[in-house]
Amino acid sequence: RLGLTQAQFGKLAGVSVPTVVNWEGSKGKAPIRMKSAIARLQAIRGMGKKQAAEMLGARERASGRA
């Protein structure tokens, strides 16, 4: 829906690409112990494409890669 790669989605959610792959695959859902990730997932779910792209850009600038 947002047109994000697994790596981009992982950055937004604060998790690794393998975690995203697990969530997408048969291993399914985020464990309850990952409450902070679940909160970020809920925020991502409510985003539009533009907002997601802006957030990714901000995170990349903050990490010194943009």
Side-chain angles (χ1 to χ4, degrees):
R1 185 187 97 169
L2 296 177
L4 300 174
T5 65
Q6 291 171 329
Q8 291 169 325
F9 186 81
K11 279 184 188 178
L12 284 177
V15 299
S16 68
V17 173
T19 299
V20 174
V21 171
N22 287 340
W23 288 347
E24 288 180 339
S26 62
K27 296 179 185 171
K29 303 180 184 200
I32 293 298
R33 69 180 179 275
M34 295 183 69
K35 288 182 183 179
S36 61
I38 291 170
R40 288 189 299 271
L41 291 174
Q42 290 298 328
I44 293 167
R45 187 175 186 190
M47 289 181 189
K49 286 184 181 183
K50 183 177 179 181
Q51 188 179 10
E54 289 171 354
M55 185 178 273
L56 275 172
R59 288 189 181 210
E60 289 176 359
R61 285 190 297 278
S63 69
R65 285 192 245 167

